[in-house]
């Protein structure tokens, strides 16, 4: 991991403070088991460079179906995992790692298979594969929003990011 990310102060949510936002509002644990790894805030050191990454979207996983269909990109879990993989490739191209990320803005479309509700569990399971793991222990502050749609009707997920260099 690069050095700049190591000087960032990462402030975890503290479940004992009575704060009614974030994971305390019922989003701390995955239904399938395990805690969700994200921060209340990140404090950046003076003089650090911010890298603002444009929205990243999922790669095609099935080219045999129309490119504007959900089937071309997979469910929310597959799309989140693929989108984070695309984000990782962009970071590598800049000499950065996933550990240099400090914030994510996540746009999730409601899944027609779930009656138009976003698949929070699918998103969270994929997200937990990339953050707070033994391989990549750093966490990020994040915002997740359900949106009516994205540019490609097959996309269920788009992620913007902020990293430190």
């Amino acid at each position: 991991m690069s050095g700049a990310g190591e000087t960032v102060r990462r402030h975890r949510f503290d479940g004992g403070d009575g704060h009614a936002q974030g994971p305390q509002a019922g989003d701390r644990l995955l239904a399938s088991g395990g805690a969700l790894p994200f921060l209340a805030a990140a404090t950046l050191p003076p003089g650090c460079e911010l890298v603002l990454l444009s929205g990243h979207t999922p790669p095609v996983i099935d080219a045999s179906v129309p490119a504007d269909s959900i089937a071309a990109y997979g469910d929310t879990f597959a799309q989140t995992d693929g989108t984070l993989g695309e984000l990782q490739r962009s970071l590598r191209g800049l000499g950065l790692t996933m550990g240099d990320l400090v914030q994510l803005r996540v746009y999730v479309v409601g899944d027609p298979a779930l009656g138009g509700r976003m698949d929070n569990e699918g998103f969270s399971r994929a997200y937990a594969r990339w953050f707070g793991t033994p391989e990549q222990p750093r966490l990020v502050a994040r915002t997740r929003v359900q949106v009516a749609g994205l540019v490609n009707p097959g996309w269920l997920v788009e992620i913007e990011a902020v990293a430190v260099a």
Side-chain angles (χ1 to χ4, degrees):
M1 293 183 204
S2 71
E6 293 173 18
T7 60
V8 171
R9 285 192 358 235
R10 296 169 192 265
H11 311 277
R12 290 179 174 263
F13 275 103
D14 177 7
D17 68 0
H19 188 29
Q21 298 298 311
Q24 292 75 15
D27 192 22
R28 182 169 213 95
L29 301 175
L30 289 164
S32 58
L36 287 176
F38 58 98
L39 301 175
T43 303
L44 307 180
C48 75
E49 291 183 27
L50 290 181
V51 179
L52 308 175
L53 292 114
S54 291
H56 282 64
T57 55
V60 171
I61 61 171
D62 185 351
S64 71
V65 297
D68 63 352
S69 70
I70 292 172
Y73 305 93
D75 62 10
T76 300
F77 172 84
Q79 289 198 27
T80 302
D81 195 56
T83 300
L84 290 169
E86 294 295 314
L87 183 57
Q88 181 181 52
R89 281 186 270 292
S90 291
L91 288 165
R92 283 183 182 156
L94 297 168
L96 301 170
T97 70
M98 294 295 273
D100 294 314
L101 292 172
V102 292
Q103 183 183 34
L104 298 178
R105 278 183 217 95
V106 182
Y107 307 95
V108 184
V109 175
D111 188 334
L114 298 175
R117 293 182 56 90
M118 75 179 228
D119 181 3
N120 186 54
E121 176 72 12
F123 168 80
S124 295
R125 280 188 300 112
Y127 174 88
R129 291 173 32 114
W130 290 88
F131 300 98
T133 66
E135 300 80 29
Q136 200 298 97
R138 293 186 183 150
L139 305 180
V140 298
R142 74 164 205 224
T143 300
R144 193 186 33 187
V145 217
Q146 181 170 337
V147 295
L150 296 167
V151 172
N152 182 321
W155 294 340
L156 296 173
V157 177
E158 184 168 350
I159 301 174
E160 295 177 349
V162 177
V164 293

